[in-house]
Amino acid sequence: MKLIGNYTSPFVRKISVILLEKGITFEFVNESPWHAESHVPDFNPLGKVPVLVDNDHTWYDSAIIADYLELQNTTPPLLPADRLRALKIRQLALAADGVAEAGLLIVREQMRPADQQSEEQLMRQREKILRGLDTLEAAAAQGEFLSSAELNLADIATACALGYLNFRRIAPGWCVDRPALIQLAEKMLQRDSFARTVPSAA
Ligand SMILES: N[C@@H](CCC(=O)N[C@@H](CS)C(=O)NCC(=O)O)C(=O)O
């Protein structure tokens, strides 16, 4: 199995963490989607990472890849057998992915010359981040589908999104009034899978 991407991407990190947690052996192929000579579009028509190549099939979009890895029936399961509960956890994981995606759009916008940056776009993405974090905080405080006794997909996606906000210094005050998310982030960062996938400046 080959995972294509780089650890500065919260979505690539999420898949790496899942592979490590499940003990699935994989080869990591370091590729940036942003370089002109990137090979990523050869694997994913959308030109985005992560991409997972397994046997004769190429998987893209981290939500699909996470589903595919769940189908391997390796332990620990990151989704419960109850399909409705699993759907609720996947929805929270998507909220976390949305926070990360909004963060990524802020980073890209801020890379443009200052006079071409759209304050409206930056504001819109910041609002998505704050609303998404509020949703995740409420779920983590409640503890049934996020930050519950058993590790799940939403825990991993949320910790990757928070890690990305910290790494890119976006919404630096995210932890104010969000104690359940702080607790979740601290707990997840102690796991070997997170320690091994810390992003470094690209
Ligand atoms: N929904 C996608 C988002 C992936 C994504 O946006 N990846 C970024 C890196 S963090 C990327 O490859 N961007 C390249 C581009 O948009 O051209 C997923 O979950 O895999």
Side-chain angles (χ1 to χ4, degrees):
M1 208 176 267
K2 261 189 211 172
L3 175 63
I4 302 171
N6 55 39
Y7 285 136
T8 57
S9 161
F11 310 105
V12 173
R13 189 181 191 191
K14 181 179 68 175
I15 297 304
S16 308
V17 165
I18 293 172
L19 288 163
L20 291 168
E21 289 289 343
K22 287 178 174 290
I24 299 174
T25 307
F26 66 103
E27 179 191 344
F28 188 76
V29 181
N30 198 8
E31 269 276 352
S32 167
W34 303 108
H35 294 157
E37 68 281 10
S38 172
H39 295 294
V40 174
D42 299 339
F43 297 96
N44 176 356
L46 305 177
K48 296 184 181 190
V49 292
V51 169
L52 187 84
V53 184
D54 191 27
N55 299 321
D56 56 350
H57 196 82
T58 299
W59 301 95
Y60 47 82
D61 197 291
S62 64
I64 294 288
I65 298 173
D67 277 356
Y68 173 67
L69 294 175
E70 214 48 33
L71 288 179
Q72 307 302 302
N73 286 327
T74 44
T75 55
L78 296 172
L79 289 171
D82 180 305
R83 292 176 68 185
L84 185 59
R85 291 182 65 81
L87 201 56
K88 288 182 180 175
I89 290 169
R90 291 177 69 219
Q91 187 175 34
L92 285 171
L94 274 187
D97 285 356
V99 166
E101 193 177 314
L104 174 69
L105 289 175
I106 288 177
V107 171
R108 299 303 299 178
E109 187 67 20
Q110 288 177 335
M111 287 168 83
R112 286 153 55 85
D115 62 345
Q116 288 175 28
Q117 290 176 24
S118 160
E119 195 46 48
E120 190 192 339
Q121 161 77 334
L122 291 169
M123 195 50 112
R124 199 172 163 75
Q125 301 310 323
R126 280 189 200 112
E127 284 168 357
K128 285 180 203 288
I129 291 175
L130 298 180
R131 286 195 306 265
L133 290 176
D134 286 344
T135 295
L136 295 167
E137 169 67 20
Q142 203 254 350
E144 190 178 358
F145 299 107
L146 186 63
S147 221
S148 66
E150 280 173 12
L151 177 75
N152 71 30
L153 177 66
D155 296 326
I156 294 174
T158 301
C160 288
L162 295 175
Y164 186 70
L165 295 184
N166 287 342
F167 172 58
R168 294 297 192 199
R169 296 190 175 83
I170 303 159
W174 70 260
C175 38
V176 176
D177 292 334
R178 297 199 181 91
L181 286 186
I182 296 175
Q183 201 183 16
L184 174 64
E186 284 174 352
K187 191 175 71 179
M188 296 299 286
L189 284 176
Q190 285 168 13
R191 301 186 78 90
D192 186 51
S193 58
F194 273 84
R196 288 172 61 183
T197 54
V198 172
S200 57

